[in-house]
Amino acid sequence: MTEDAAKYFIWTPEALQLLKAGAVYPDREHNTTAHNKEYFPELHFDRYQNESNHDAFLNGVTAYKKNFAKSIEMAKNGDLVGVFTHLGGALHAVQDFASHSNYIELPEKEQKIIDEILFGDRSPKELPKSVKLTHYDPDMPIPGIPEGSDYPHDIKSKDYPFRGDVSMSQFGPDEIGYQAAFDTGTYFAKIVLTRFMHALDEKSYRQVTNAEVWNVFPPYPRNCTVGDINKTSYTAMRGDNVVCEGKPDYIYKLETARKVGINTFNK
């Protein structure tokens, strides 16, 4: 989705790899299935424990907008590690919303309201009551299928073609639910990248989209060969989504809708 969206905005191959790495960063560091440090459902537009769909959506919107605003701030300050961390977090959120909600199943009128809440100034209070977010509870024996859930993550999300009943359902003559969610996520990503481009002056934007010299992104490198940070060569994103050219001396955390540092599944 990220790659499909970014091709409209003239990103160099090197910068695109970093953008893609940023978009998967929340799954690497804020997902209970990936040696998680802290699980924050709003980074994935999931619904946690006894949250209502409305509250979970509000948390997701808050986290998305915080990370998007932070990415612009970092870009204006010339902090490229921060840009890709937070812009990636914003992209991940809207892409997950396309897959972790019933958005693609809703009438066009309700989809338009949601679009205006996500990307405009419409109040989240106007969220249609029909909206559902996938329920994921790391305290349960099967986190993706919490007991008693009416919209469990591992059945209702559209992350993969064979993920669940909606993912495999027909959404037109040539499209299944997975593809409909993929197309929606790509469309959302284009909106995010368009807004990002328009928020910056040309110099700042070119610095981000033409990034070639790096130390490490994302943070917490695994299976990396640490190199000379002054090199101009580029080590491509590997199978575990790590880009290496050295070791950073600071680590960024994504913005969330709650206090960073609280490990929600140990509460």
Side-chain angles (χ1 to χ4, degrees):
M1 286 182 280
T2 301
E3 185 169 351
D4 281 1
K7 66 185 179 183
Y8 295 94
F9 300 94
I10 318 178
W11 291 69
T12 64
E14 295 86 358
L16 178 57
Q17 291 291 349
L18 294 168
L19 183 65
K20 289 162 63 178
V24 300
Y25 174 54
D27 274 346
R28 293 185 60 247
E29 298 301 332
H30 300 287
N31 187 314
T32 56
T33 62
H35 305 290
N36 170 67
K37 307 297 185 298
E38 293 158 322
Y39 170 65
F40 296 103
E42 61 266 28
L43 298 179
H44 315 277
F45 269 97
D46 286 332
R47 180 163 55 94
Y48 179 63
Q49 290 187 334
N50 296 321
E51 284 181 321
S52 67
N53 286 295
H54 180 276
D55 287 348
F57 178 86
L58 179 59
N59 287 337
V61 170
T62 299
Y64 152 67
K65 291 188 175 183
K66 280 185 173 182
N67 281 298
F68 181 72
K70 197 74 173 179
S71 72
I72 295 171
E73 176 188 333
M74 294 290 191
K76 291 179 178 179
N77 292 336
D79 188 334
L80 297 182
V81 174
V83 171
F84 284 99
T85 301
H86 293 287
L87 182 57
L91 288 169
H92 187 97
V94 298
Q95 291 168 356
D96 264 1
F97 175 71
S99 176
H100 294 185
S101 73
N102 63 340
Y103 177 92
I104 64 171
E105 304 166 69
L106 296 176
E108 185 176 346
K109 181 179 180 180
E110 295 187 359
Q111 290 180 344
K112 184 177 180 180
I113 294 173
I114 296 169
D115 293 352
E116 292 172 353
I117 295 172
L118 279 172
F119 306 113
D121 297 324
R122 195 156 188 164
S123 171
K125 294 180 180 179
E126 299 181 53
L127 181 73
K129 294 182 179 180
S130 55
V131 170
K132 292 183 179 181
L133 298 184
T134 53
H135 188 187
Y136 188 93
D137 190 339
D139 291 325
M140 292 286 185
I142 305 177
I145 310 179
E147 184 177 350
S149 174
D150 63 339
Y151 206 73
H153 178 278
D154 289 1
I155 296 175
K156 296 299 183 179
S157 68
K158 279 74 67 178
D159 294 329
Y160 310 103
F162 300 100
R163 186 67 194 240
D165 56 354
V166 181
S167 189
M168 293 184 289
S169 297
Q170 201 73 23
F171 273 74
D174 303 311
E175 192 170 59
I176 59 174
Y178 162 76
Q179 189 62 52
F182 184 98
D183 292 344
T184 299
T186 302
Y187 167 67
F188 286 165
K190 287 180 186 177
I191 295 175
V192 171
L193 294 177
T194 299
R195 289 164 61 89
F196 179 77
M197 177 181 67
H198 286 163
L200 300 177
D201 59 66
E202 184 177 357
K203 181 180 178 181
S204 297
Y205 186 72
R206 285 184 177 276
Q207 182 183 27
V208 173
T209 57
N210 289 280
E212 295 180 357
V213 183
W214 278 82
N215 46 4
V216 175
F217 188 85
Y220 305 114
R222 300 186 182 99
N223 302 320
C224 292
T225 301
V226 176
D228 183 348
I229 62 172
N230 295 317
K231 290 195 309 182
T232 57
S233 61
Y234 174 81
T235 303
M237 185 170 68
R238 304 185 182 189
D240 55 353
N241 301 305
V242 176
V243 177
C244 298
E245 280 295 342
K247 186 176 181 180
D249 55 3
Y250 51 87
I251 299 296
Y252 287 103
K253 285 184 176 290
L254 287 169
E255 299 287 321
T256 72
R258 62 201 78 207
K259 184 178 179 181
V260 175
I262 296 177
N263 195 328
T264 57
F265 61 92
N266 282 336
K267 288 173 63 178

